Amino acid sequence: MDNINENEGKNILVVDDDTTVLDFLSALIKEYGYNAVICPRPEEAMAMINTNNINTVLTDIKMPRISGIQLLKEFRRFDPEIPVILITAYADINYVVSSLKEGAFDFIFKPFNPEILMNSLEKAVEFHRLRQIEKNYTKSLEETLKKRTQEITQKNIALGEILGRLEIEKKQMQDNIIANVETLLLPVIQKLKIDGDSQKYLDLLKKNIEELTSPFGLNLTKKKYKLSPREIEICNMIKSGLTSKEISKLLNISLRTIEKHRDNIRNKLGITKNDANLSSFLKVF
């Protein structure tokens, strides 16, 4: 067997039981700048392809003990990407069809034209080189994708933990506000003795304090609704159960103006059904 240099990507395994043919092919292949790994015993071909970084195989078909077609099957099982070129002195169409079905890269007849043979070998070597580039790129892409996926997963886990902590802190804050309102503020308000309309304001204040952590006020101030400060104030009073007359009296504006505000509020909040109750709507808003 000829020695192989370090010129990767150009190692061609030549299998033939005829040493004269092997010597000729080896010299021809070297002349074109490739490395020839010669194998006069076909049964040893698989061992050589396993240990010599073979990129392309050139094998005779008619050989004792094992044929080129059988070797082709073995090579394809070992590595489907290795191009295998078959050579034969018999122009039998059955061999051609059979070899192509088994995945042969090309089929060369003896006596062969050296230029035609080397042209086929050059195409085979280039095909193998491009396939290896594709495989390496795909492998690199898969590894990069796997790494990015792991990074995103880890970030999602960290984000989930942060959001979980924020939710706990939010709940604790709400609990603290409610506890302080119930134990400190409401008892003081309940002890206040106020008569007349001022008592209604006090009742309204008490309800607002009790719902201090609800999103009602925030929802009303959203830009898409375009509610005026007066309309927001009236919404709060309607939600608390005050009638239009009571609101009119507390705000010192006419009942007609209150009704006009109610119509504007319904339009801005998208309440199109005439039978829809504004107070009920606001309570679940």
Side-chain angles (χ1 to χ4, degrees), residues 52-69:
N52 290 295
N53 190 27
I54 299 300
N55 310 108
T56 300
V57 176
L58 180 64
T59 179
D60 193 13
I61 287 183
K62 290 284 187 177
M63 296 181 293
R65 292 180 293 278
I66 182 169
S67 72
I69 299 293

Side-chain angles (χ1 to χ4, degrees), residues 29-268:
I29 289 169
K30 288 180 179 179
E31 183 180 338
Y32 277 79
Y34 296 98
N35 306 313
V37 182
I38 61 174
C39 178
R41 290 180 289 276
E43 63 273 16
E44 297 178 0
M46 283 306 300
M48 288 186 174
I49 205 170
N50 272 312
T51 57
N52 290 295
N53 190 27
I54 299 300
N55 310 108
T56 300
V57 176
L58 180 64
T59 179
D60 193 13
I61 287 183
K62 290 284 187 177
M63 296 181 293
R65 292 180 293 278
I66 182 169
S67 72
I69 299 293
Q70 290 173 300
L71 276 180
L72 170 62
K73 294 178 181 178
E74 292 295 322
F75 293 143
R76 296 287 293 173
R77 275 194 288 268
F78 171 73
D79 185 355
E81 304 297 336
I82 294 181
V84 179
I85 298 173
L86 298 174
I87 53 178
T88 184
Y90 305 95
D92 189 335
I93 191 63
N94 291 327
Y95 278 123
V96 175
V97 173
S98 178
S99 64
L100 292 177
K101 283 184 177 179
E102 293 297 335
F105 184 83
D106 202 355
F107 202 95
I108 305 295
F109 292 104
K110 297 178 183 178
F112 42 75
N113 182 310
E115 290 186 2
I116 293 176
L117 174 63
M118 290 311 304
N119 180 263
S120 180
L121 280 174
E122 287 174 348
K123 289 180 179 178
V125 170
E126 179 65 7
F127 170 82
H128 186 266
R129 184 184 74 84
L130 293 176
R131 291 294 290 172
Q132 291 303 116
I133 291 174
E134 181 185 16
K135 285 174 66 177
N136 292 338
Y137 176 76
T138 301
K139 182 179 178 181
S140 174
L141 191 62
E142 289 174 349
E143 291 175 351
T144 301
L145 181 60
K146 183 179 179 181
K147 183 180 178 181
R148 293 289 185 271
T149 301
Q150 291 174 343
E151 290 175 353
I152 292 172
T153 301
Q154 292 173 352
K155 289 180 180 179
N156 285 340
I157 292 172
L159 180 60
E161 292 175 351
I162 293 172
L163 292 176
R165 288 197 298 269
L166 289 175
E167 193 63 31
I168 292 173
E169 292 175 2
K170 176 183 175 183
K171 181 65 169 57
Q172 289 175 342
M173 186 181 297
Q174 290 176 340
D175 291 344
N176 290 338
I177 292 173
I178 292 172
N180 288 333
V181 167
E182 290 179 346
T183 59
L184 302 176
L185 190 56
L186 288 181
V188 174
I189 293 176
Q190 289 170 355
K191 291 178 180 179
L192 292 175
K193 302 296 182 181
I194 303 177
D195 298 325
D197 294 333
S198 297
Q199 182 62 43
K200 293 187 181 296
Y201 265 121
L202 188 61
D203 292 339
L204 182 61
L205 175 60
K206 181 179 177 182
K207 285 187 177 182
N208 287 341
I209 291 173
E210 289 172 346
E211 297 179 358
L212 199 59
T213 60
S214 80
F216 179 71
L218 180 64
N219 289 339
L220 285 177
T221 57
K222 287 182 178 177
K223 290 183 178 180
K224 64 178 181 178
Y225 297 125
K226 299 181 180 179
L227 292 172
S228 68
R230 175 65 84 183
E231 289 168 344
I232 291 174
E233 184 179 20
I234 292 173
C235 282
N236 185 36
M237 291 180 171
I238 294 172
K239 179 176 178 290
S240 299
L242 295 179
T243 66
S244 293
K245 288 183 179 180
E246 290 173 329
I247 297 172
S248 172
K249 193 173 183 180
L250 285 173
L251 297 181
N252 196 29
I253 56 180
S254 69
L255 180 60
R256 183 177 179 181
T257 302
I258 296 298
E259 293 301 331
K260 186 176 179 181
H261 278 306
R262 290 178 71 107
D263 289 339
N264 289 338
I265 291 169
R266 292 175 68 90
N267 290 332
K268 290 182 179 181

